[in-house]
Amino acid sequence: MEIMKCNCCGKELIEKQGNQREDSLVIVKDWGYFSGKDMERHHLVICEACYDNWVSGFKIPPKVESRTEAL
Ligand SMILES: [Zn+2]
């Protein structure tokens, strides 16, 4: 069982049989040549509460579409 922690608040997000108990935002970014982080891969996990907090500060909110099926 792999324990992931929210990078923002440190809360544990426990993974259970490949499914996270709590849904979260996972970002894996390979920074490219035109960034100052060329050849670096950054991983981050953000819990839903921190996500909501984070995007509430955006000038342009994330585009939201409704899905008919849950993944
Ligand atoms: Zn968090």
Side-chain angles (χ1 to χ4, degrees):
M1 189 163 65
E2 189 189 344
I3 296 173
M4 298 194 305
K5 287 184 179 170
C6 171
N7 281 84
C8 190
C9 69
K11 184 166 72 175
E12 286 186 2
L13 304 158
I14 299 163
E15 200 164 302
K16 208 178 179 184
Q17 297 171 339
N19 293 311
Q20 285 149 235
R21 185 177 295 175
E22 185 182 340
D23 206 1
S24 57
L25 174 69
V26 178
I27 300 172
V28 180
K29 170 64 178 168
D30 287 308
W31 289 97
Y33 185 73
F34 295 105
S35 73
K37 305 172 191 58
D38 191 19
M39 304 302 286
E40 289 182 13
R41 173 175 286 175
H42 292 199
H43 294 250
L44 38 122
V45 181
I46 304 290
C47 75
E48 188 180 6
C50 291
Y51 172 85
D52 287 343
N53 222 5
W54 183 38
V55 301
S56 71
F58 285 12
K59 281 215 167 30
I60 301 168
K63 189 175 168 185
V64 177
E65 293 173 355
S66 49
R67 295 188 319 229
T68 49
E69 281 176 50
L71 293 176

